[in-house]
Amino acid sequence: MAKKPKKKGVHYVDNKKFLQAMKDWKEECLEAEEMGEEKPRISNYIGECFLKIANGLSFRPNFINYTYKQEMISDGIENCLQYIHNFNPEKSNNPFAYFTQIIYYAFIRRIQREKKQTHVKHRLIEKVDYRAFVTMEGDENSYSVSGFDPTIMLPDEAVYKPKKKVKVDKPSGLENFMEEKSEDSDNN
């Protein structure tokens, strides 16, 4: 019985082709720099790779359910374009991994900004009297909100920053056992 040929996994970005495109673009940049011209635009293929990486990463379980997923993708592509000149094909032959990391951290930054904005929005709603939302203009019992309270912008706690772990100097069970053992030997 003949063996079936193994199917290659479906990758949305061909890393070898992407690396070659990056090398070609870097060479064009060096030539333009020598001639005193502006840096050339990236090729459509490189732009497509950025878009494919960002879209692929947005479907990971830790990013999939955000309502601002398109903003995350846009931030990721923008950061790739911003830091494309830092990729050095002589040091690394994996542009896919390099730009995936850039997009990943762009996603994290967008999530932090959105959490901060959501917190501010909730604080604003919490501080405003509910009657401002339920009364109508011209109503004799109408309540108007005047002025701006700058304390609304200050969070009570850092909800959008990771909490610091408190280290407790608590002896483990073995240390307790050793202390009891040494006390017993001192008493004898």
Side-chain angles (χ1 to χ4, degrees), residues 25-77:
W25 181 79
K26 280 287 201 178
E27 288 175 14
E28 290 175 16
C29 287
L30 289 173
E31 290 172 9
E33 188 177 311
E34 288 173 1
M35 298 177 85
E37 297 175 357
E38 287 185 18
K39 284 187 178 180
R41 293 177 64 176
I42 63 168
S43 66
N44 284 342
Y45 180 74
I46 294 174
E48 287 173 13
C49 289
F50 291 161
L51 183 61
K52 287 177 182 179
I53 293 169
N55 280 325
L57 191 61
S58 72
F59 283 103
R60 285 194 49 190
N62 47 341
F63 299 128
I64 196 163
N65 289 325
Y66 289 106
T67 57
Y68 40 86
K69 192 159 71 165
Q70 290 301 318
E71 287 86 356
M72 291 165 53
I73 292 169
S74 298
D75 287 350
I77 293 170

Side-chain angles (χ1 to χ4, degrees), residues 127-148:
K127 293 239 180 201
V128 174
D129 191 0
Y130 77 95
R131 291 177 289 172
F133 296 107
V134 295
T135 58
M136 297 174 59
E137 283 188 41
D139 190 4
E140 57 193 50
N141 297 330
S142 69
Y143 177 79
S144 64
V145 179
S146 60
F148 176 72

Side-chain angles (χ1 to χ4, degrees), residues 1-32:
M1 181 175 228
K3 289 184 179 180
K4 292 182 182 179
K6 290 184 179 180
K7 289 185 179 180
K8 288 186 177 180
V10 179
H11 297 287
Y12 47 90
V13 175
D14 182 7
N15 207 19
K16 291 179 183 177
K17 192 174 176 184
F18 190 23
L19 177 62
Q20 187 58 47
M22 288 299 299
K23 286 179 180 179
D24 294 343
W25 181 79
K26 280 287 201 178
E27 288 175 14
E28 290 175 16
C29 287
L30 289 173
E31 290 172 9

Side-chain angles (χ1 to χ4, degrees), residues 60-121:
R60 285 194 49 190
N62 47 341
F63 299 128
I64 196 163
N65 289 325
Y66 289 106
T67 57
Y68 40 86
K69 192 159 71 165
Q70 290 301 318
E71 287 86 356
M72 291 165 53
I73 292 169
S74 298
D75 287 350
I77 293 170
E78 180 183 4
N79 282 3
C80 285
L81 293 171
Q82 189 175 3
Y83 298 111
I84 189 172
H85 64 278
N86 289 344
F87 178 74
N88 188 352
E90 295 170 2
K91 289 185 179 179
S92 172
N93 59 357
N94 195 350
F96 178 82
Y98 179 79
F99 291 109
T100 300
Q101 283 296 106
I102 289 174
I103 294 170
Y104 177 85
Y105 286 110
F107 283 11
I108 299 296
R109 283 189 298 275
R110 170 56 71 175
I111 292 168
Q112 288 173 342
R113 276 183 278 178
E114 292 292 335
K115 280 186 179 180
K116 182 177 179 180
Q117 191 64 32
T118 302
H119 179 71
V120 169
K121 182 174 69 173

Side-chain angles (χ1 to χ4, degrees), residues 171-181:
S172 67
L174 183 60
E175 292 170 347
N176 287 338
F177 176 75
M178 296 301 287
E179 288 176 14
E180 290 174 9
K181 188 81 166 166

